[in-house]
Amino acid sequence: MKIINLKKMQSSADDACRLMKVLSNRDRMMLLCQISQGEMCVGELEECLDIHQPTLSQQLTVLRNEELVETRREGKQIYYSLSNHVALEVMNVLYKNYCSK
């Protein structure tokens, strides 16, 4: 039987709980699901997900603050992409089980 480092396990559990808390919001879940399929600008996200300002900005800010997405500016457009590999793996599992059916 492998002995687990308790402090490391607690820290990992805290990280997992923080990710699950972010994913527990429908708008953030939909944003991450869409962004996991490829980089998108704010206008595209607003149009395809029907999430409007200021909700869209608020939820994208949460995702940025949690370091799940990164941004790239091109002119006046801001593009979002998924930057956290764990979040991408979770979104792939969720997409396979809930979105592709």
Side-chain angles (χ1 to χ4, degrees), residues 73-85:
R73 181 178 288 277
E74 189 173 297
K76 291 185 177 185
Q77 296 288 345
I78 298 176
Y79 289 86
Y80 285 83
S81 59
L82 206 52
S83 61
N84 181 293
H85 75 281

Side-chain angles (χ1 to χ4, degrees), residues 47-86:
E47 185 178 319
C48 73
L49 297 176
D50 199 32
I51 302 172
H52 303 287
Q53 301 291 346
T55 303
L56 182 61
S57 291
Q58 291 169 345
Q59 300 311 326
L60 287 169
T61 297
V62 171
L63 297 176
R64 271 193 324 270
N65 289 344
E66 290 297 323
E67 299 178 346
L68 299 180
V69 297
E70 59 187 11
T71 60
R72 169 179 79 78
R73 181 178 288 277
E74 189 173 297
K76 291 185 177 185
Q77 296 288 345
I78 298 176
Y79 289 86
Y80 285 83
S81 59
L82 206 52
S83 61
N84 181 293
H85 75 281
V86 174

Side-chain angles (χ1 to χ4, degrees), residues 23 28-36 63 69 82 91:
L23 294 178
R28 289 192 298 262
M29 175 73 73
M30 290 172 47
L31 285 163
L32 285 174
C33 187
Q34 188 64 51
I35 295 168
S36 74
L63 297 176
V69 297
L82 206 52
M91 293 312 301

